[in-house]
Amino acid sequence: MVVWTDFERATIQDIFSKMDYEVVGPAALTRCLIVYPWTQRYFGNFGNLYNAAAIMGNPMVAKHGTTILHGLDRGVKNMDNIKAAYAELSVLHSEKLHVDPDNFKLLSDCLTIVVAAQFGKAFTGEVQAAFQKFLAVVVSSLGRQYH
């Protein structure tokens, strides 16, 4: 079980309440697909992902990025039992989609970069630590089925 401080809980709630999901989600997934091109193999049905411009202009990438970010709401709403909240998604990604669990960490790193850029100076070291702790717990929960 993860122990959350009041500051961490408040910070996570604050970040997600201020986040523009339709901007941040697509930007994070786009960054992941460009920076880590091997992650594209899971999105073969998304059409043209041959270069950065194609990825940035791909509506399916944008839509899935938004979906991913909304999926994090599950963790925000269930901070006391994140593992259970992501049990179904863990099974889906491991057994049906066969996603390499390392990709969850890569995406979380890209999301942190995008959020830091959006929040600017307000994304202090303490805020980043809380955000990354939250993402690490989500990543661990999504990868749980693989263990």
Side-chain angles (χ1 to χ4, degrees):
M1 185 175 136
V2 177
V3 176
W4 301 99
T5 67
D6 290 342
F7 173 80
E8 290 168 337
R9 285 179 186 277
T11 297
I12 298 307
Q13 295 286 336
D14 186 56
I15 288 172
F16 281 90
S17 73
K18 293 178 180 173
M19 200 180 298
D20 184 345
Y21 285 45
E22 283 72 28
V23 172
V24 174
L29 182 57
T30 295
R31 180 176 289 267
C32 188
L33 294 172
I34 293 169
V35 175
Y36 309 108
W38 59 88
T39 62
Q40 295 172 21
R41 73 176 182 222
Y42 301 105
F43 301 98
N45 63 332
F46 278 26
N48 182 1
L49 300 176
Y50 300 127
N51 57 45
I55 293 167
M56 288 187 277
N58 188 308
M60 293 179 83
V61 170
K63 182 179 179 192
H64 193 64
T66 301
T67 299
I68 290 167
L69 210 54
H70 281 291
L72 290 174
D73 282 338
R74 186 180 300 201
V76 174
K77 293 174 184 166
N78 295 285
M79 288 182 71
D80 291 321
N81 199 356
I82 290 178
K83 286 189 182 189
Y86 286 102
E88 250 181 65
L89 280 175
S90 179
V91 170
L92 171 70
H93 284 83
S94 69
E95 295 179 11
K96 183 178 179 193
L97 302 175
H98 307 289
V99 174
D100 181 340
D102 290 341
N103 292 332
F104 301 134
K105 174 70 171 119
L106 298 176
L107 181 58
S108 75
D109 290 346
C110 290
L111 179 58
T112 300
I113 291 167
V114 171
V115 170
Q118 292 266 317
F119 281 70
K121 290 181 181 182
F123 200 72
T124 64
E126 293 85 5
V127 170
Q128 179 180 348
F131 187 63
Q132 287 192 277
K133 177 179 176 180
F134 171 77
L135 292 177
V137 173
V138 171
V139 166
S140 174
S141 298
L142 284 170
R144 184 172 157 213
Q145 186 65 25
Y146 296 85
H147 306 295

